[in-house]
Amino acid sequence: AIAAADFDLSPAKALGVGLSSLQLTKTQSSQVKMSLAALTFIASRGMATKMTVKNLAMIGSGQMGAGIAQVAAATGHKVVLCDTAGDILEKAKAGIQESLRRVVKKKFADDPDKGQEFIASTMANIDTTTEPAKAVVTADLVVEAIPENLQLKQELFNTLDKFAPANAIFATDTSSLSITAMASSTQRQDKFAGLHFFHPVAVMKLVEVIRTPETSDDVYECLMAFCRAVGKHPVTCKDTKGYLVNRLLVPYLFEAGRLYERGDGSKEDIDTAMKLGAGYPMGPFELADHVGLDTCKGIVDGWQEVEPDNPLFKPYPLLNKLVAEGKLGKKTGEGFYKY
């Protein structure tokens, strides 16, 4: 196969000499010109249809949405950040600025002026709106990071599908829900996939790129390229429960909770055991507080609906109690521990 776009396809360059200097009949010369014209057309079509992301619409400005907006804007992408109220968006922008200041302290320690320029240019790439329809009008990629509720996400994508450009890619940052089920609410199932970033987005390098059976190769390659462009390391997985990381991680967190509930060990000792014995940077209770107890509960509740008899997906009362009391972890100041 010839990558035609890699070549200068003007007739003289392609042949190395002018056609007139070759001893060709008129018929042969005509055939050569037609072949070159066809190659030029194929190359131009290929270059014109290659999918790239320059404009991102980020729906949801919580920890994940703001983080994705930050890394995209910091790498030169134009971002429209959307949420339900102006004060929520202002809080998100303030959080992004604070995060950028931490980045600058490390990255531009020897050049503070350049660091300030970096912050200013990044923030200049972020616009905000409370109207999802406006957010997606010029988007190449639409990413959703709203609460983990399948019906809510389906309704959102169904609405956005009517306003986004026909060639725009839709992606969800869900950590556990079915990508295929979300895609079914749109008319662009071939342009739909999962992009699961990890918290904190500015620090964590991994992104899970989740393909459905309908996700096209072009969309998949575009999303892999986008992840690399924002400084991340993408891995690929199928649309299965929990994908790769959470399918292994969340049952581990829940089993730690059951150990504690049975009185087999204190939460402090369980955390210490996993840090010193397994080399983990955080113990399971520290990590659950970091992730958010409501997020952990939402993931397993969704899995249990599909597989109610799977013992790995069985909830435990203490977690339900903490979530009901609004003790969701670090983000609320208290979870398994107080902060």
Side-chain angles (χ1 to χ4, degrees):
I2 298 175
D6 293 336
F7 296 89
D8 184 337
L9 295 176
S10 63
K13 291 289 185 183
L15 294 175
V17 292
L19 286 175
S20 60
S21 65
L22 297 177
Q23 294 180 348
L24 300 175
T25 66
K26 286 185 177 181
T27 301
Q28 289 172 326
S29 179
S30 177
Q31 289 173 338
V32 169
K33 288 179 179 178
M34 289 174 64
S35 296
L36 290 170
L39 279 172
T40 303
F41 174 75
I42 292 169
S44 65
R45 291 274 294 187
M47 288 184 285
T49 57
K50 184 178 180 181
M51 304 181 81
T52 58
V53 175
K54 294 180 180 178
N55 300 305
L56 168 68
M58 185 68 239
I59 312 298
S61 67
Q63 288 181 329
M64 297 307 297
I68 296 167
Q70 176 184 326
V71 297
T75 49
H77 298 82
K78 297 295 184 183
V79 179
V80 179
L81 185 60
C82 180
D83 216 310
T84 55
D87 59 334
I88 296 175
L89 289 166
E90 287 304 313
K91 182 180 178 181
K93 288 185 71 175
I96 291 171
Q97 283 188 307
E98 181 57 34
S99 177
L100 289 171
R101 290 189 191 101
R102 291 194 293 269
V103 172
V104 163
K105 283 183 180 179
K106 295 181 179 179
K107 190 174 181 180
F108 299 98
D110 298 328
D111 194 343
D113 290 340
K114 201 165 188 179
Q116 292 305 309
E117 289 176 11
F118 171 73
I119 293 175
S121 63
T122 299
M123 296 307 297
N125 283 334
I126 302 175
D127 288 326
T128 60
T129 181
T130 57
E131 300 180 51
K134 286 186 177 179
V136 303
V137 168
T138 60
D140 302 310
L141 171 63
V142 177
V143 179
E144 163 275 319
I146 65 173
E148 291 285 80
N149 180 296
L150 180 59
Q151 183 178 349
L152 190 65
K153 291 176 187 284
Q154 287 176 320
E155 290 171 356
L156 173 68
F157 280 121
N158 180 262
T159 299
L160 297 180
D161 196 34
K162 299 175 176 65
F163 296 96
N167 62 342
I169 299 170
F170 280 14
T172 171
D173 184 52
T174 181
S175 56
S176 64
L177 298 175
S178 168
I179 312 296
T180 303
M182 278 181 247
S184 68
S185 65
T186 75
Q187 300 299 313
R188 61 183 81 212
Q189 295 181 38
D190 61 324
K191 298 182 182 69
F192 205 111
L195 277 184
H196 183 212
F197 288 77
F198 289 79
H199 177 68
V201 179
V203 176
M204 300 295 281
K205 288 292 185 182
L206 183 67
V207 179
E208 291 175 323
V209 179
I210 301 105
R211 298 188 69 167
T212 76
E214 302 297 325
T215 307
S216 74
D217 290 342
D218 287 344
V219 166
Y220 165 73
E221 293 295 343
C222 180
L223 291 175
M224 293 290 281
F226 172 72
C227 291
R228 296 186 187 104
V230 299
K232 303 304 178 185
H233 187 115
V235 296
T236 307
C237 58
K238 293 182 179 179
D239 186 14
T240 57
K241 295 180 190 65
Y243 320 127
L244 302 180
V245 174
N246 281 339
R247 185 61 179 82
L248 296 170
L249 179 63
V250 174
Y252 153 72
L253 298 181
F254 272 56
E255 188 59 22
R258 296 184 192 105
L259 276 173
Y260 175 50
E261 280 192 326
R262 290 196 301 265
D264 296 339
S266 70
K267 59 180 182 289
E268 292 83 2
D269 282 349
I270 293 170
D271 276 348
T272 299
M274 292 311 295
K275 287 187 286 186
L276 300 184
Y280 289 8
M282 286 188 282
F285 296 99
E286 293 171 320
L287 182 56
D289 275 355
H290 185 74
V291 170
L293 303 190
D294 54 333
T295 300
C296 295
K297 181 182 184 308
I299 290 171
V300 172
D301 285 351
W303 293 352
Q304 191 185 36
E305 286 181 12
V306 180
E307 294 184 34
D309 298 326
N310 191 326
L312 289 175
F313 304 158
K314 183 180 177 181
Y316 60 98
L318 176 58
L319 179 71
N320 292 340
K321 179 176 180 292
L322 290 171
V323 171
E325 293 173 351
K327 298 174 181 177
L328 308 181
K330 289 188 74 173
K331 61 187 176 184
T332 59
E334 185 176 356
F336 288 110
Y337 299 107
K338 291 185 178 180
Y339 299 89

